Amino acid sequence: MMIIGVDYHPSFQTIAFFMEETGEYGEQELSQSDGEAERFYRDLQQRGIRVRVGMEATGYSRWFERLLAELGFEVWMGDPAEIKTRRVKKQKTDRKDAQLLLRLMRENNFPQIWVPGPENRDLRQLLWHRHRLVQMRTRILNQLQALAMNEGYRWKKKLFSEQGRAQLEKLALAPWASRRRQELLELLDRLNPTIEELTAAVEREAKKRPEALRLMTHPGVGPLTALAYVLIIGTPKRFHCGKQIGTYVGMIPSEDSSAGKQRLGHISKQGNSLLRFLLVEAAQAAARSNAEWRRRYTHLAMRRHKSIAKVAMGRRLAVRLYWMWRNGCGYSPSFEFGSYVGQLGTGHGVK
């Protein structure tokens, strides 16, 4: 067995390796742009060497993970935050990082994390693609609104009705403003069918998953939020309690307390930004359609601030969906808020 600690970068990787049978140790820097890294690992496979590779979770490494899976090598993906805490000296280099990863693997102290499968990752691309296109469409709509307002017309949503668009196209504008209006409308006409197609694909994928259908019974939760929650959380067995969900999605406040004084800051934002955005949007939709959620949101907004209340309700929704998924039950208004939220067999906190 060869154990390899990999400090990965988009253009190269620094490795530290150890052969268990012979005790051989070595370090090397492998370039990825010219295929040196791929040749190195393929050579190990041809020599019949069993390999275990440890690396920090990072971006731009999909091709490398696919290569290792194709070669049949064991891959350990580590939590970067946990690995950082294991660094003893305040000295960080690529070589030191590779050595640290190798040492943690040899000591059986490597902080492994859950890694989604290829299908899961591909479906996440569907969600991200739709999300980015919707953001682009929003920017286009805002620009068209600005053009109309500069001409003294404030039509808001009516601007994008059939009648409002006809009025927008009739506005007498200067040459460059007129060209801008025309090209923005053309972009909008191209984006709308694409977004509709992607939305339909999201709905089809959500219907294939019973857990997503169960989450959609909750007020404010549609196919997009339910599918994103299922794909990003993976399985509720990864978490022991609902509080860990709030930490995982980065919706708890950062803390810098000392000497008996508590100092709380902004939310950590350490989790998936798309899921965090969708949870806040779904919580606002729930507050609009559900009286209990609206009461809770209004109470928090009056005590603190609207932005804080939105995030707090998004975190509560994340915990509620976790209990629904874990317990295999649909939405029930009986267990909305409180310490007993989502737990079966209780009423008003009493068993």
Side-chain angles (χ1 to χ4, degrees), residues 197-263:
E197 179 186 353
L198 295 175
T199 302
V202 169
E203 293 174 352
R204 288 195 300 270
E205 292 296 336
K207 290 178 180 178
K208 295 178 183 177
R209 291 163 172 77
E211 57 273 24
L213 292 174
R214 184 178 300 119
L215 300 183
M216 288 167 59
T217 61
H218 194 286
V221 178
L224 184 62
T225 304
L227 182 61
Y229 193 90
V230 169
L231 293 177
I232 294 168
I233 298 302
T235 170
K237 296 180 180 179
R238 297 172 55 203
F239 306 94
H240 299 293
C241 62
K243 289 184 177 180
Q244 292 181 343
I245 291 289
T247 304
Y248 183 75
V249 298
M251 300 182 78
I252 62 169
S254 57
E255 185 173 2
D256 187 17
S257 301
S258 181
K261 186 173 182 180
Q262 189 179 41
R263 300 180 181 87

Side-chain angles (χ1 to χ4, degrees), residues 22 63 191 221 232 315 321:
T22 64
W63 75 270
L191 280 177
V221 178
I232 294 168
R315 183 187 63 81
L321 296 180

Side-chain angles (χ1 to χ4, degrees), residues 151-166:
E151 299 301 319
Y153 298 97
R154 184 173 174 80
W155 293 321
K156 297 185 179 180
K157 292 183 179 179
K158 294 180 181 179
L159 177 64
F160 305 109
S161 64
E162 185 176 347
Q163 182 180 0
R165 174 159 178 167

Side-chain angles (χ1 to χ4, degrees), residues 77-290:
M77 199 66 66
D79 183 352
E82 287 288 338
I83 292 173
K84 184 179 180 180
T85 62
R86 315 290 169 86
R87 188 178 292 113
V88 179
K89 298 181 179 179
K90 291 186 177 180
Q91 187 179 22
K92 185 183 184 305
T93 64
D94 295 340
R95 181 168 167 265
K96 294 283 186 182
D97 288 346
Q99 291 174 354
L100 173 63
L101 293 171
L102 177 61
R103 177 173 63 83
L104 294 177
M105 294 175 70
R106 292 184 61 192
E107 295 174 353
N108 200 25
N109 197 25
F110 189 83
Q112 276 188 272
I113 60 174
W114 173 77
V115 179
E119 182 185 3
N120 185 310
R121 286 181 167 178
D122 191 49
L123 283 175
R124 292 189 190 192
Q125 294 299 314
L126 165 63
L127 298 177
W128 271 112
H129 185 44
R130 183 194 176 279
H131 181 64
R132 294 304 186 195
L133 291 182
V134 170
Q135 288 181 324
M136 293 170 59
R137 182 175 64 180
T138 302
R139 295 189 186 100
I140 292 173
L141 296 177
N142 290 339
Q143 292 180 65
L144 291 171
Q145 285 280 10
L147 283 172
M149 289 170 63
N150 281 327
E151 299 301 319
Y153 298 97
R154 184 173 174 80
W155 293 321
K156 297 185 179 180
K157 292 183 179 179
K158 294 180 181 179
L159 177 64
F160 305 109
S161 64
E162 185 176 347
Q163 182 180 0
R165 174 159 178 167
Q167 292 177 334
L168 176 62
E169 292 175 343
K170 291 178 182 178
L171 289 179
L173 302 177
W176 283 109
S178 177
R179 175 174 175 177
R180 183 187 180 197
R181 173 186 58 189
Q182 178 185 352
E183 294 183 354
L184 287 174
L185 289 173
E186 290 174 357
L187 287 172
L188 185 63
D189 291 337
R190 288 203 296 267
L191 280 177
N192 281 330
T194 303
I195 292 174
E196 292 175 2
E197 179 186 353
L198 295 175
T199 302
V202 169
E203 293 174 352
R204 288 195 300 270
E205 292 296 336
K207 290 178 180 178
K208 295 178 183 177
R209 291 163 172 77
E211 57 273 24
L213 292 174
R214 184 178 300 119
L215 300 183
M216 288 167 59
T217 61
H218 194 286
V221 178
L224 184 62
T225 304
L227 182 61
Y229 193 90
V230 169
L231 293 177
I232 294 168
I233 298 302
T235 170
K237 296 180 180 179
R238 297 172 55 203
F239 306 94
H240 299 293
C241 62
K243 289 184 177 180
Q244 292 181 343
I245 291 289
T247 304
Y248 183 75
V249 298
M251 300 182 78
I252 62 169
S254 57
E255 185 173 2
D256 187 17
S257 301
S258 181
K261 186 173 182 180
Q262 189 179 41
R263 300 180 181 87
L264 299 178
H266 299 290
I267 59 173
S268 64
K269 295 185 180 181
Q270 289 183 318
N272 186 281
S273 60
L274 175 59
L275 179 58
R276 192 163 52 246
F277 170 83
L278 293 174
L279 286 171
V280 172
E281 291 289 310
Q284 293 180 73
R288 289 192 296 267
S289 61
N290 183 276

